[in-house]
Amino acid sequence: MSSSSAELFARAQKRIPGGVNSPVRAFRDLGGEPFFVERAEGSRVWTVDDRELIDYVGSWGPAILGHAHPKIVSAVCDAAQRGVSFGIPNPFEVELAELICAWMPAIEKVRMVNSGTEAAMSCLRLARGFTKRDIVIKFAGCYHGHADSLLVKAGSGALTHGQPDSAGVPKAIAEKTVVAPFNNIDAVRTAFRENNDQIACVILEPIPANAGLFFPREDFLHHLREESSRNGALLIFDEVMTGFRIARGGAQQLYGIQPDLTALGKVIGGGLPVGAFGGRVDIMDCLSPDGPVYQAGTLSGNPLAMAAGLAQLRELERINGWKLLEQLGADLAERIGDAFSKTALTFHRIGSMFCLFFTNGPVIDLDSARRSDTQRFAKFFHACLERGIYFAPSQFETNFISTAHSDADIEETARVVRETLAKL
Ligand SMILES: *Cc1c(COP(=O)(O)O)cnc(C)c1O
């Protein structure tokens, strides 16, 4: 009685907008149709059509230990047997909060939510409530989930008050967000000058990983820290992607920066729906019930989600996952390195995150990432998929290695990439 991906997608399209519950899953930039997953384990997913794939999407980041890790599965089962949700405080919430604060010292208090979107959205409200200011600075190409104030793109011109990046986002809200090019500190300084004493916060992905993957220039983050403090604005790191993936203390540890607030998600939930936000205690204490900034959630701190997150983070530390991930990433880069020299390609990697842009570098911001040849990317993607390697289904996404990827997986992947690029 099993259905094929094609049958399921036909049914899905009748009852789910676009047939998917998150747009990038629809493969719209690529042509072709998405496949459906029957099960996943370790580095592999098996489709309902009985295909086995080496997966570099990893649920878009959470699956840092690979799929269906036994420790996470058993933590979730154990918790479930004692009740799947209470809406009453449970011990796992305290343990995860303590662990997050210990690993990211800039977080003195933390609140759990159910997604990265909620985490970033709550950071914004808190920053506005704390500073009693309304304007937000964000960067083109940084994604922070789909809250109205953050679904904003740059207008024409280097630095403008934002335009809605989606129908349904009121212009009046978009105008409260100033969009600057990433890595451009002069634009940020101008924004502060032109909006004197009105800027509540600067929010960014310290390592942007939602428009492909690119990196902050040396000093950019330090300058942001300085400018924010000097102007009485909060600095918010959105580490939903990088948090606990890039290092035990996230990108803020790597670059030695203390943000005022941090948004987390993905890895901290072990694959269950979790987000969190935290930071300086004087700011966090503005949240209800202690303070005037309202924020709440029926399922926030859910015991299954907390148990899964704790199990994942503890296992990651136990095996020193970050070292292993760096080795696997370095191995992959080394094995495919010279395949990139021939054509217009730019390979970016940090630890277990990587992206192959189909353009000559340097890629330093959204504009340079957009020069990529998305048709060549689509060909590359489908050719790899046909040969059993599932990369992120868009040029403007990042791939993830998990600790479950074996040396043989990496070797096979490198072979497929080299051969595919040679024929492209
Ligand atoms: C994925 C992501 C989000 C949104 O998280 P959801 O759980 O999808 O709502 C926010 N910020 C960054 C940096 C992300 O990568």
Side-chain angles (χ1 to χ4, degrees):
M1 271 305 289
S2 61
S3 303
S4 68
S5 289
E7 286 161 356
L8 284 164
F9 194 54
R11 280 166 57 197
Q13 282 176 296
K14 290 198 180 117
R15 291 300 179 194
I16 303 172
V20 291
N21 283 312
S22 196
V24 72
R25 297 180 201 166
F27 283 25
R28 284 290 163 87
D29 295 346
L30 297 165
E33 288 190 351
F35 56 84
F36 282 66
V37 171
E38 172 75 34
R39 71 188 176 90
E41 193 185 327
S43 62
R44 310 291 167 122
V45 300
W46 285 266
T47 75
V48 296
D49 316 296
D50 264 344
R51 294 204 57 216
E52 178 178 334
L53 303 170
I54 303 180
D55 177 26
Y56 287 96
V57 177
S59 189
W60 300 95
I64 197 167
L65 298 174
H67 295 286
H69 190 283
K71 292 223 166 133
I72 297 178
V73 172
S74 85
V76 170
C77 291
D78 285 354
Q81 265 157 3
R82 280 174 278 138
V84 296
S85 175
F86 317 123
I88 303 170
N90 70 78
F92 291 128
E93 294 172 82
V94 187
E95 284 177 47
L96 188 54
E98 286 172 349
L99 189 152
I100 288 172
C101 292
W103 287 14
M104 273 188 182
I107 300 185
E108 295 171 326
K109 282 192 180 178
V110 59
R111 183 160 282 174
M112 299 298 165
V113 292
N114 304 287
S115 68
T117 294
E118 255 186 275
M121 179 189 80
S122 306
C123 281
L124 237 57
R125 182 175 310 134
L126 181 54
R128 285 167 159 163
F130 178 79
T131 59
K132 303 188 174 65
R133 299 169 171 188
D134 285 348
I135 297 180
V136 168
I137 298 179
K138 85 175 280 290
F139 295 91
C142 285
Y143 178 67
H144 306 292
H146 59 90
D148 284 351
S149 291
L150 293 166
L151 219 50
V152 173
K153 64 182 174 191
S156 50
L159 182 73
T160 50
H161 286 253
Q163 309 268 328
D165 200 14
S166 160
V169 172
K171 206 162 180 296
I173 290 183
E175 279 169 357
K176 299 283 183 199
T177 302
V178 175
V179 182
F182 197 79
N183 273 325
N184 186 334
I185 194 65
D186 290 337
V188 175
R189 289 186 176 129
T190 306
F192 272 116
R193 214 176 314 118
E194 288 179 357
N195 299 276
N196 200 13
D197 294 338
Q198 294 179 71
I199 301 207
C201 62
V202 177
I203 184 169
L204 75 155
E205 293 180 78
I207 302 170
N210 281 286
L213 174 69
F214 49 88
F215 305 110
R217 281 194 177 127
E218 208 174 322
D219 281 357
F220 178 64
L221 302 178
H222 286 280
H223 286 313
L224 285 181
R225 178 64 281 177
E226 273 168 33
E227 291 299 326
S228 304
S229 299
R230 193 195 337 263
N231 290 283
L234 302 186
L235 180 64
I236 304 174
F237 272 15
D238 180 346
E239 295 224 44
V240 169
M241 193 88 102
T242 49
F244 305 139
R245 174 172 281 278
I246 222 67
R248 187 173 173 274
Q252 50 196 269
Q253 174 192 317
L254 201 69
Y255 293 103
I257 311 264
Q258 287 234 332
D260 300 299
L261 292 173
T262 300
L264 295 168
K266 297 191 172 125
V267 165
I268 63 161
L272 273 79
V274 180
F277 66 103
R280 267 166 47 193
V281 69
D282 57 323
I283 304 171
M284 291 302 288
D285 282 345
C286 290
L287 283 174
S288 53
D290 285 341
V293 178
Y294 190 70
Q295 188 280 328
T298 300
L299 295 176
S300 296
N302 172 271
L304 268 57
M306 298 296 100
L310 277 168
Q312 169 139 292
L313 295 178
R314 285 178 178 150
E315 180 66 3
L316 206 50
E317 180 167 60
R318 193 188 67 80
I319 64 173
N320 195 0
W322 301 283
K323 192 166 168 223
L324 176 59
L325 291 167
E326 169 57 30
Q327 283 163 357
L328 291 167
D331 188 29
L332 180 67
E334 198 186 303
R335 284 175 187 279
I336 40 184
D338 58 348
F340 301 145
S341 50
K342 295 167 213 145
T343 34
L345 293 168
T346 304
F347 182 70
H348 279 180
R349 177 187 76 87
I350 180 160
S352 57
M353 300 164 68
F354 67 93
C355 172
L356 180 56
F357 288 107
F358 283 77
T359 180
N360 287 313
V363 177
I364 54 152
D365 57 14
L366 182 61
D367 282 348
S368 42
R370 277 214 183 116
R371 286 188 204 114
S372 301
D373 182 342
T374 51
Q375 291 190 344
R376 282 190 78 219
F377 171 82
K379 272 193 207 153
F380 169 77
F381 169 83
H382 281 299
C384 292
L385 184 60
E386 238 158 68
R387 301 186 58 184
I389 309 291
Y390 180 47
F391 288 127
S394 163
Q395 170 72 89
F396 305 107
E397 297 288 351
T398 295
N399 297 283
F400 302 101
I401 301 170
S402 78
T403 58
H405 284 77
S406 64
D407 293 340
D409 288 340
I410 298 291
E411 220 180 294
E412 166 68 5
T413 304
R415 194 175 59 76
V416 168
V417 168
R418 297 179 74 97
E419 290 174 12
T420 304
L421 286 177
K423 279 191 221 139
L424 216 59

